[in-house]
Amino acid sequence: MTITDDRAQIYTIEGFAAALILVGVLFFIFQSISVVTPQTEMSAEMKLSQTAADTLICLDRPSENYSSDLKAAIALWNGNAATFASPVAPPEATIRALDAQIATMLSNDTCYNVEVAYYDGSTMRAIPVILHGVPSDNSVVATRLVTLNDGDADSAYWSGIGTYPQLIEVRLICWYL
């Protein structure tokens, strides 16, 4: 009587089962990597958002007279709104200078608009002061608050509102071309 040993066949079957499980796991991992790929668009938006916020921070940096370029442009603004026919609020020299500064800080493939939002005593108003197009669906908004006190307001527009301190929100809306 001979005794047969079937253990080798069981080890072989176990090896094939383990190999199938490993191939299944690798297939699942490689399929899930393609799910992560669309996150690159979100990464681009985050970079643009950070760049826009950094741009406003740089513009609001105090200079030697303890004011910033952003605050000076807002203090001298006379209330005119920009239109697509006149992309910078006319005849605002300080807003034009602000537009030139923003253009140098952002990359060439970035479009932007600037809005000024404030409370005029009865309603909240948002007025575009720089328009360079219609924002896309993937646009980002960075905001910066500017405070105008009684001695800061250099235009008749802010004097007409007459409530100080006046808190103004400057919105920089950016998008890629």
Side-chain angles (χ1 to χ4, degrees):
M1 173 182 238
T2 61
I3 299 175
T4 59
D5 192 10
D6 293 337
R7 286 187 288 172
Q9 292 176 345
I10 300 232
Y11 289 141
T12 303
I13 293 172
E14 183 180 342
F16 279 125
L20 284 175
I21 290 172
L22 284 175
V23 167
V25 167
L26 288 174
F27 180 74
F28 179 73
I29 288 171
F30 286 126
Q31 288 298 320
S32 67
I33 289 174
S34 65
V35 174
V36 177
T37 305
Q39 298 291 333
T40 56
E41 179 180 315
M42 203 165 142
S43 171
E45 286 180 13
M46 287 173 34
K47 287 178 185 176
L48 181 61
S49 178
Q50 187 61 48
T51 302
D54 290 345
T55 300
L56 285 178
I57 289 170
C58 289
L59 290 171
D60 201 24
R61 182 185 70 240
S63 60
E64 63 274 351
N65 62 354
Y66 301 107
S67 183
S68 67
D69 294 337
L70 185 63
K71 186 173 185 174
I74 298 303
L76 290 169
W77 179 58
N78 63 12
N80 289 334
T83 62
F84 287 111
S86 177
V88 177
E92 306 282 341
T94 57
I95 299 295
R96 286 191 192 287
L98 188 69
D99 184 30
Q101 285 179 310
I102 293 170
T104 59
M105 291 181 189
L106 296 175
S107 62
N108 291 336
D109 64 343
T110 305
C111 267
Y112 61 93
N113 293 339
V114 176
E115 253 181 22
V116 173
Y118 60 94
Y119 184 71
D120 69 357
S122 60
T123 59
M124 187 72 177
R125 299 189 58 179
I127 299 174
V129 293
I130 300 172
L131 282 176
H132 288 294
V134 178
S136 68
D137 292 338
N138 296 332
S139 61
V140 297
V141 178
T143 62
R144 189 81 174 168
L145 295 176
V146 175
T147 304
L148 291 182
N149 294 310
D150 193 13
D152 296 333
D154 293 335
S155 74
Y157 181 74
W158 294 116
S159 300
I161 294 176
T163 56
Y164 294 104
Q166 182 70 18
L167 190 62
I168 297 127
E169 180 183 25
V170 179
R171 299 174 185 156
L172 177 61
I173 304 143
C174 296
W175 66 95
Y176 287 117
L177 293 176

